[in-house]
Amino acid sequence: MTKQNASDQGLGPVGQALHAKLLAAFHPTHMDLRDESHKHVGHAGHRETGESHFHLEMESAQFAGKSAVARQRMVYALLAEDLREQVHALSLKLRAPEGF
């Protein structure tokens, strides 16, 4: 069962699509995806409609034995199209569950 932060529930359509892709691909034991676009008003890539800057904290067994860079590459590969077309920035905090 995935433990999700309440902020996942308040995402717009872009965030919901990211959330669904991450959930299906990584089967996380914990995931917290937050739209932090409001923190970037006036910065490059900010859109008035929001959903341009996200922060993801995720725990998945698929990250076991992988370096931080390898974990990031896995997420960026999955979301490559979204990052090219809709999302300006995605910050990541990725880990494997305890014992992996």
Side-chain angles (χ1 to χ4, degrees):
M1 174 178 251
T2 300
K3 180 181 172 188
Q4 298 176 14
N5 188 287
S7 64
D8 295 336
Q9 306 309 313
L11 295 170
V14 173
Q16 289 175 13
L18 297 176
H19 187 272
K21 286 181 183 182
L22 292 162
L23 192 62
F26 292 104
H27 309 285
T29 51
H30 170 79
M31 182 166 53
D32 179 15
L33 179 63
R34 294 186 302 263
D35 181 355
E36 295 190 338
S37 302
H38 65 283
K39 295 181 179 180
H40 301 276
V41 174
H43 297 170
H46 179 266
R47 290 190 307 268
E48 291 298 320
T49 57
E51 294 201 287
S52 59
H53 294 72
F54 289 88
H55 175 72
L56 172 66
E57 291 184 22
M58 185 167 60
E59 178 180 275
S60 172
Q62 291 186 36
F63 297 146
K66 306 264 191 314
S67 70
V69 171
R71 293 171 184 183
Q72 291 171 359
R73 287 180 178 155
M74 292 169 70
V75 172
Y76 288 142
L78 175 69
L79 303 179
E81 184 178 332
D82 303 281
L83 293 168
R84 257 192 321 274
E85 297 178 7
Q86 299 177 346
V87 176
H88 178 73
L90 174 64
S91 64
L92 301 171
K93 183 176 180 181
L94 308 170
R95 64 184 181 273
E98 293 286 326
F100 279 90

